[in-house]
Structure formats: structure tokens, C-alpha cells
Amino acid sequence: MAVRIPRKNAVLAAALLCAGATVLVGCGDGDGDSDEAFAGKSADAIAAEAVKATRDADSVRITGTSQAQGAPAAVKTEFQVDEKDNCLGTLSMNDAKADVRQAGQNVYVRGNERFWQNAMKGRPGTDTVVDRLQGKWVKSEPGDRSTQGMCDKQALLAAMDSDKSERDGMRRGTATEVDGKDALTLTKQQADGEKLTLYVATEGAPYILKAVSEGGKQPSETLFSDYNEKVEVEQPPAGEVVDPKTVAANG
């Protein structure tokens, strides 16, 4: 997330550095005969419908894996979000892992020891801070820019619609299944060598079921599921919540 982080929220900001590279919606390769679904519609029109349906859903679970060029390992994320900013999620890289939840206006992050060690590496008092954070949820205040948009469904899905030219020139591919659901593949070969594939549901609303990007600078695979299911989130127990300003100040 390209945002300016206040120094007092350094603990929480460090934890969220891994999260900004997730929710990647690409589209991978594939070719073949067109399916009968969406008869008479072009691949570009189908892609536009799929993006709109996905953004209009009340809730969705987004599960992704991405590895930026030169990164030591892939970042894995899973976020279940709804239109009311309720959110349950996890993010991990190698042995570092963190849970994320939003209930009401507050976002909470709970990382394991390796996560906080990586996030706080090079900062004074790291060992002390990491000890204090074990088993705790780090809380951000409403409006905190360090977590702004992190559990916002529309913000998470905005990448799909940020560059509409990426949906131009797509081709209808083969009929297939994604987690037991019938889907039509839409494919595109980018000029830079990136291969894109979008899997669109052919029954019911034309939701995106899967998106893959191969051969580019940041290969990724993202699954979309649990559309319109209720996202139930509980506030963490008060005794398990810490204020990042207090931890940083006493570190």
C-alpha cells in the first residue's frame, strides 16, 4: 500500500507491508473452442460483466498466491469480506503468518513470532516488542491510514477495474470447472509475454471464479468463492488487544 504511515503506528504499519501485494486479479493462458454459455457475447463483454457481477456481490472470499519478481517467497492471502467492511483474513510468507479481522470500525492484526520478527527487523527494541505481541491482536483506530482499504471489499477488488484496457482483445477459451462449478475461460496474451486467464461462472451470476497470471513480473493465482455468504466476525477479547502506539513507545 503506497500510503504514508505515521511514525506512532510503526508496529502496525510494518505488519501490513506484506498485505499490499495481495489481491491480484490477473487473467492466464488457454485456448480452445468457445462454450455455448454467453451465446452471442464477445469475450470482452463477458469479462466486463464478470467484473461488474463480482464487485456487486454482497460478499466474497478471495484466496490468492503471488510472488513478485525477486521476492524470496510467495505471499499467500485469504480474505473473506463484505460490503459492510466485515473481514476475516490471513496472510503468510514462508513461516511468517498473520491473522486479520475487522469488526465494526477497527482492524486487528495478530502475527506469529516470525511474522513480527520480519516486520520489525532493524528497529530498536525488536525482541522486546515481539515478546509483547505474542498472542495479541494489534488494533488500528478508525480512519488509520495504515489499514485503510485493507478490509474494504471494493478496494480489494478495484484492481480488476483499474485498467479496462486489460479486458480488450480477450478470447473465449474452453469450458471447464473451478471447484465443481462450470466456468468459461477467457484468455489473453499480453505484448510483454504475460499470459492471462479469467474463469467466469456459466450458471447463475457471471462471477469470477478464478484468475491467473503467468509469465509476467508478478505471477499470481486468485480464487473467488463463497459469494454472498455472511461474514461473521467477533471482536477480539479485550485482554488480547494491544495498542500499537503503546507497544512502540515502550519498546
Side-chain angles (χ1 to χ4, degrees):
M1 279 173 280
V3 295
R4 193 176 185 84
I5 308 299
R7 183 177 180 83
K8 66 181 181 180
N9 290 328
V11 174
L12 187 58
L16 299 178
L17 289 178
C18 301
T22 62
V23 191
L24 310 162
V25 181
C27 320
D29 76 346
D31 201 1
D33 298 328
S34 296
D35 186 69
E36 291 302 316
F38 306 107
K41 295 182 179 180
S42 69
D44 292 357
I46 297 169
E49 284 187 22
V51 170
K52 183 178 186 305
T54 298
R55 297 194 69 172
D56 287 348
D58 291 335
S59 64
V60 64
R61 183 186 301 274
I62 307 170
T63 306
T65 301
S66 169
Q67 184 163 359
Q69 195 173 56
V75 175
K76 299 179 180 180
T77 60
E78 181 175 349
F79 279 79
Q80 186 181 15
V81 293
D82 67 14
E83 291 289 348
K84 298 178 180 179
D85 295 340
N86 292 309
C87 171
L88 289 170
T90 62
L91 56 101
S92 64
M93 185 172 69
N94 286 336
D95 296 331
K97 180 179 179 181
D99 299 315
V100 179
R101 69 170 66 171
Q102 177 166 340
Q105 296 300 309
N106 298 111
V107 177
Y108 302 87
V109 178
R110 181 178 63 186
N112 66 4
E113 183 176 6
R114 179 59 60 86
F115 178 88
W116 289 116
Q117 286 175 340
N118 291 347
M120 301 298 296
K121 187 175 182 179
R123 295 179 180 274
T126 293
D127 292 341
T128 300
V129 172
V130 170
D131 287 342
R132 290 175 177 168
L133 293 176
Q134 294 309 296
K136 301 294 185 181
W137 290 93
V138 177
K139 174 185 176 182
S140 74
E141 298 298 330
D144 189 332
R145 293 177 63 191
S146 66
T147 56
Q148 195 169 43
M150 188 177 185
C151 283
D152 182 330
K153 173 178 169 286
Q154 292 304 334
L156 290 171
L157 296 175
M160 292 188 298
D161 227 14
S162 61
D163 185 357
K164 293 179 176 58
S165 67
E166 290 186 355
R167 301 201 301 264
D168 294 340
M170 301 195 79
R171 299 177 58 187
R172 290 174 64 126
T174 57
T176 186
E177 287 188 357
V178 177
D179 289 339
K181 294 181 174 61
D182 293 335
L184 175 68
T185 58
L186 303 177
T187 69
K188 181 174 181 178
Q189 180 72 51
Q190 300 279 55
D192 62 2
E194 183 181 14
K195 298 177 181 181
L196 309 173
T197 306
L198 195 67
Y199 298 75
V200 180
T202 58
E203 294 184 1
Y207 293 132
I208 296 172
L209 300 179
K210 183 179 178 181
V212 179
S213 172
E214 300 175 274
K217 295 182 179 180
Q218 193 158 344
S220 64
E221 178 174 305
T222 307
L223 295 173
F224 300 83
S225 62
D226 296 344
Y227 280 99
N228 301 313
E229 292 192 8
K230 186 175 182 180
V231 182
E232 298 185 1
V233 185
E234 294 182 358
Q235 294 274 0
E240 297 178 9
V241 176
V242 296
D243 186 325
K245 299 186 293 294
T246 301
V247 174
N250 296 332

